[in-house]
């Protein structure tokens, strides 16, 4: 069988045949990278095969379960037949044939009192799939981030960010201030087109892009999120504390109304 064929009927093959084809494809791609001096091209080969490789799925399963087995009944249910589930997930990845996404929203309150809505999917197959994808692409993705990026990166948490900030303030004593910003409902509101465009600049495999659209970008926040964000804008505008609501630079530089009222100039700020 030609290992480079794209019309393979994966469902008709045995587990051993699937593992053999995947191993041969990955080995051929590794040899090509080695022949190029270890440089990976943007058209990285066989990304789906690397994600679907059974040992990668087993390790992803372990990572996804870490510290959650006792409190998650879905993980315990999966552990009754883990190999069967992983083989089913392997076929889903290779054929891009997944069940309909089933999202649920969990409301979590932090120690500081901030309430967050966490949108999550079932453990199998989705959470295992997320870890399997990251195990393959995280090195390439993180390499394109600036060093000070620290959100959700192993070894780069809150303390890392504080140390970097202190180091910069010590190195550049003329800078006395730093700006802390926050995006409300960032993950729910970021445009999916931006994510896909960023990934396409790094990965040219359209099958992998399709997998990302299925695994991560199938969630639709709907009109409720729009209402939440619009209400937040109005709340900020009504706030009388200048330190909490500051107009944007464009609003601040709005053209003033040239009419005079009792010797005072009234500035018309755009809505």
């Amino acid at each position: 069988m030609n290992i480079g064929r794209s019309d393979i009927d994966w469902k008709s093959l045995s587990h051993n045949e699937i593992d053999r084809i995947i191993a041969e494809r990955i080995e051929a791609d590794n040899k090509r990278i080695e022949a190029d001096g270890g440089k990976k091209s943007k058209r990285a080969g066989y990304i789906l095969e690397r994600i679907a490789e059974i040992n990668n799925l087993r390790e992803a399963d372990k990572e996804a379960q870490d510290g959650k087995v006792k409190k998650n009944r879905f993980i315990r249910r999966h552990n009754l037949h883990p190999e069967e589930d992983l083989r089913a997930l392997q076929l889903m990845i290779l054929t891009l044939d997944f069940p309909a996404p089933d999202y649920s929203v969990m409301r979590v309150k932090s120690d500081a009192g901030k309430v967050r809505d966490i949108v999550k999917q079932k453990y199998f197959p989705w959470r295992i799939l997320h870890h399997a994808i990251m195990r393959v692409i995280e090195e390439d993705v993180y390499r394109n981030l600036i060093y000070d990026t620290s959100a959700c990166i192993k070894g780069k948490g809150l303390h890392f960010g504080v140390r970097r900030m202190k180091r910069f303030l010590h190195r550049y004593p003329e800078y006395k201030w730093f700006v802390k910003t926050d995006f409300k409902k960032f993950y729910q509101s970021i445009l999916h087109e931006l994510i896909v465009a960023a990934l396409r600049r790094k990965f040219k495999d359209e099958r992998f892009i399709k997998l990302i659209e299925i695994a991560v970008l199938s969630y639709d926040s709907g009109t409720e999120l729009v209402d939440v964000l619009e209400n937040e804008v109005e709340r900020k505008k009504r706030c009388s504390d200048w330190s909490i609501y500051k107009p944007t630079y464009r609003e601040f530089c709005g053209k003033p109304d040239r009419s005079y009222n009792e010797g005072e100039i009234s500035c018309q700020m755009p809505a």
Side-chain angles (χ1 to χ4, degrees), residues 24-42:
E24 289 175 352
R25 288 186 169 186
I26 293 175
E27 182 181 3
D29 194 50
N30 288 338
K31 287 182 178 178
R32 180 188 60 79
I33 295 173
E34 185 178 353
D36 290 340
K39 181 180 179 181
K40 293 183 180 179
S41 66
K42 286 187 176 181

Side-chain angles (χ1 to χ4, degrees), residues 116-182:
R116 297 179 181 273
D117 289 332
I118 307 298
V119 180
K120 61 179 183 177
Q121 293 176 295
K122 291 183 178 179
Y123 179 78
F124 173 81
W126 303 108
R127 297 195 206 173
I128 304 174
L129 174 61
H130 297 161
H131 282 267
I133 292 173
M134 285 305 299
R135 282 179 54 82
V136 172
I137 72 170
E138 66 178 351
E139 181 181 348
D140 292 324
V141 171
Y142 290 163
R143 190 184 295 123
N144 285 268
L145 302 177
I146 64 172
Y147 179 74
D148 295 309
T149 302
S150 56
C152 302
I153 298 178
K154 188 180 296 183
K156 288 188 174 183
L158 176 62
H159 296 289
F160 169 83
V162 172
R163 288 195 302 270
R164 292 290 291 175
M165 183 192 69
K166 288 181 176 180
R167 181 177 298 178
F168 280 120
L169 291 175
H170 179 73
R171 182 179 299 176
Y172 307 103
E174 65 273 20
Y175 297 136
K176 303 297 183 183
W177 302 91
F178 69 93
V179 178
K180 178 182 178 183
T181 60
D182 187 25

Side-chain angles (χ1 to χ4, degrees), residues 4 38 71 76 102 125 131 133 148 176 181 183 193 213 215 221 233-234 241 249:
K71 57 184 179 182
R76 296 195 297 272
D102 185 12
H131 282 267
I133 292 173
D148 295 309
K176 303 297 183 183
T181 60
F183 293 91
E193 293 84 355
E213 292 176 339
S221 55
V233 171
E234 293 302 319
D241 188 344
Y249 179 78

